[in-house]
Amino acid sequence: MDRRDLYGYRDQRPDPKWPGDASVAINLVVNVEEGAELSLADGDPSNEPMHEVTSKVVSQPDLCRESHFEFGSRLGYWRVMRELDEADVKVTLNVCGRAAQRTPELLQDAVGRGHDLCAHGWLWQSPAGMSPEEEEAMMRRTLDAIEAATGQRPTGWHCKSTPTLHTRALAAKLGLLYDSDAYNDELPFWLEGEQGPMLVLPYQFDTNDMRFFGESPAFVQAKDFSDYVIETVQRLLDEGERWQSKSMLTIGLHLRIVGRPGRINALRDILRFIKSDPRIWIATRTEIAHHWRKQLL
């Protein structure tokens, strides 16, 4: 049997019965990766090459790249949190284990504000190539570090980029509520596995501030990002009205990216828009996972 499902729900998409009869469930994910980027100084095999520009320093620690990531925890975090507080919106934090170990006070602050936790790998690195044993040990280390820093254990798993063939089964084995290593749908779905059915909450890369980066960035000014996200949400709301097709959308954020003064207004404008429409349910990933399990198990 082909392990890939190229059909999904077809034209029989289920009604998720979002709270308030909302058409769209929106989850904002704030990625916390500062201190977990690859670094020769930390004994990693290489330096992380990607920041505001792509560079490759191989003979020593990359102090420019280190400084770039530090902006996220020193300044970007507080700028993002002020916007979220003002809008009264709770988000999910995708947290790397080494970042939790290095900046526990930041995560304690975020949890104190009511935000949600998802594990994002020990390092900001794909687990591709790891054996099942290596990956399970890495996942346990990550979960333990985040729990030690915050007093709360993450409810879900989402690695950087490509997971392994074992990632989802390991997430189920470790008792996690959901896995987000999928980019193939706009509604949660169930997958059968060795540990029983596993809930998958898909993620999106197009509605993500990472698109400010790259050799040919899609977003340059703040309004490029907010306009794209708002147009996406408007289309999903329109589909809900015209065809009763309901959906889930993830908006991906990074402290070191959207936290810059020239970009933060994108987050402000997105929050104002999604807060203004009663057809939108703004929720954490944990809330969405619990709702789906209750309605569509």
Side-chain angles (χ1 to χ4, degrees), residues 92-243:
T92 297
L93 303 178
N94 263 10
V95 182
C96 292
R98 194 163 76 187
Q101 190 179 68
R102 284 181 149 168
T103 57
E105 294 89 351
L106 250 60
L107 294 181
Q108 291 160 16
D109 178 83
V111 168
R113 295 171 192 255
H115 298 300
D116 180 38
L117 296 172
C118 176
H120 196 36
W122 177 251
L123 302 179
W124 191 52
Q125 177 187 40
S126 168
M130 288 186 180
S131 70
E133 295 75 21
E134 290 170 333
E135 187 174 13
E136 180 176 352
M138 179 272 292
M139 292 173 75
R140 289 185 183 277
R141 185 184 186 191
T142 302
L143 294 166
D144 289 347
I146 297 171
E147 185 174 21
T150 66
Q152 293 187 20
R153 201 162 183 83
T155 58
W157 184 267
H158 182 202
C159 68
K160 178 192 177 186
S161 303
T162 302
T164 73
L165 294 175
H166 315 289
T167 303
R168 192 160 289 135
L170 289 171
K173 178 181 178 180
L174 294 172
L176 293 169
L177 191 63
Y178 67 87
D179 166 75
S180 283
D181 291 314
Y183 308 88
N184 54 2
D185 214 309
E186 292 169 358
L187 278 180
F189 57 90
W190 293 97
L191 282 180
E192 287 295 331
E194 297 174 2
Q195 306 291 324
M198 184 63 179
L199 180 60
V200 179
L201 302 188
Y203 194 87
Q204 282 83 34
F205 274 163
D206 63 319
T207 49
N208 192 303
D209 67 2
M210 282 292 289
R211 300 184 72 209
F212 280 109
F213 280 12
E215 297 297 328
S216 299
F219 306 143
V220 177
Q221 298 182 349
K223 66 182 181 65
D224 298 333
F225 182 30
S226 55
D227 284 354
Y228 184 88
V229 171
I230 289 169
E231 187 169 342
T232 299
V233 177
Q234 287 173 325
R235 173 66 194 198
L236 295 176
L237 291 170
D238 182 52
E239 291 181 2
E241 294 291 325
R242 293 163 65 192
W243 301 312

Side-chain angles (χ1 to χ4, degrees), residues 80-93:
V80 168
M81 286 297 142
R82 285 195 292 268
E83 293 294 338
L84 295 173
D85 284 351
E86 188 171 282
D88 191 25
V89 165
K90 306 306 179 191
V91 303
T92 297
L93 303 178

Side-chain angles (χ1 to χ4, degrees), residues 35-49 57-58 60-63 65-67 69-70 98 102 123-125:
E37 73 276 11
L38 293 174
S39 174
L40 291 175
D42 291 316
D44 302 327
S46 63
N47 292 316
E48 168 58 42
V57 177
V58 298
Q60 66 172 46
D62 187 341
L63 303 185
R65 188 264 311 136
E66 286 184 1
S67 183
F69 272 79
E70 288 165 8
R98 194 163 76 187
R102 284 181 149 168
L123 302 179
W124 191 52
Q125 177 187 40

